[in-house]
Every structure is written in structure tokens, then in C-alpha cells.
Amino acid sequence: MLFLDGERVYVGKAARSLQDRLSQHYQKISGRSGIDLNDVRFVCVYVDEDLDAAAPEKLLIKKYRAHDSIPWNTNGFGNKDPGRNRDTSLVKKVHFDATYPIDLGYRLSLEPGSQPVAAALEVAKRELPYLLRFDNGVAAKKIYRDTTVSIPDEPMVATDLIEHLIRALPHGWQLTALPGYLIMYAEDREYASALAWWKRNSTGVTRTEGPGHFAAGRVEPEDSGSESGEPA
């Protein structure tokens, strides 16, 4: 069970490694605004190796959901990448991503110097505690290989990296910060729930603050991730 400021917020299970499961939670929470890792605690119970951890987990979820005391089990906390077709969907106000959007001030430690965009993207994917998805088509991959980006010596945050990547790419590329992840494609599109987007044009890079619109209602079951707490 995860606790935030002493309040229970999530019940899950680790079928194999508790350390790996908690590391996934740690990574996700560390990249969010409005939440401090020092305010998060957990309590766990070990079951005999001959027993299935799913049974006590299901009982606890049923018990606490009846009192709405595990909000992260139903607000998308465990979501995986929703896929390209869902990028334009309005995020619900009660969604984990709306409550705790990605931290664009997250500090990175990329190797300074000139390097292919492809190399910078791979390092950024490993370092960022949230998803960075980009076009993986044949034409896009060639652009990433053939285009270089200059990484400065001084420490960078996520917005710095975004600026450098988009400035290095050809006219027409856009990197968008959605509430829960980053996407980069050659497009000209507005996203209703976006935090911001950066566009490469003929004069340089333009940053546009997103509308930040969110929808009312609950998070749909297919959006909320697995209640069983399987890795997201």
C-alpha cells in the first residue's frame, strides 16, 4: 500500500520483485509536479511462496474502494503509453496526470558536445522519469541519424533539452508536453490538454503554452491501468 501525507492512496502487488515494483513507482512519482517523494511511504505484506499475492490484493482493493480510500487505483496512476490515437483525448480532471503533471524542470545529465539527434533521444528516454515518444518511421529515423544537436556543458532541465532537439530538427517538427508524457512528430497540431508545445519554423523555435483543458467525469476503466498493480 502506498501512502501520501499519511493517507492511503494505492494498493498493488509485486508478483516477482518488490524492489522492482517500488522502483517503478519511485521513478514515476519523481518526475511529477505537485508531489514530494519525501511525503510518500509504503507498507507491504509478504505471502508464503505457495500462495498467490493476487488474493489478498483483491480483498484489500475491494475493501478500500468501497470507501474511496485508494484513489490512485482508479485515476490512471498505473497507465502505460495510451498510444498515438489517444494523444488528442481530453484528460479527465481527476486523472493522475492532471493532478500531478510531468515536471518539465526535471534535471538531466546528458553528455555535452555535438551528437546525432538519435543518440540524444535514446539517452533522454533512459533519463527522463516519464515517457518520451517520437516518430519511429523510416524517414524520421534517417533525420535523427543525419541531424546533430549540440548539448551544452552546463546542467540541463527537460525544457532545455526540448528546445535543443526542436531547434536541431527541420522545419515542421513539433514536440508537445502532454500532462503525462512527451511526444515528438512532424506535425502542426494543437492538443487541448497539453501543457505546452514547441514548434520548429523558418525563424527558429516557438513555444506555445497549452490550453490545459480537462474533462469532467471519472477515469474510464480502460484508462486507469491494472488494479492488480502489474508493472506500468
Side-chain angles (χ1 to χ4, degrees), residues 2 10-11 18 21 24 42 111 117 134 136 141 154 173 179 184-185 188-189 205 209 228 231:
L2 296 182
Y10 185 77
V11 170
L18 176 64
R21 190 70 186 111
Q24 292 166 3
F42 79 93
E111 189 72 24
V117 167
F134 43 84
N136 264 318
K141 287 182 177 179
E154 62 267 17
W173 279 81
M184 189 177 77
Y185 294 91
D188 184 10
R189 180 181 294 184
V205 177
E209 296 303 314
S228 66

Side-chain angles (χ1 to χ4, degrees), residues 188-206:
D188 184 10
R189 180 181 294 184
E190 295 186 4
Y191 293 85
S193 293
L195 305 177
W197 57 80
W198 292 256
K199 184 77 177 178
R200 181 68 168 92
N201 52 44
S202 57
T203 60
V205 177
T206 301

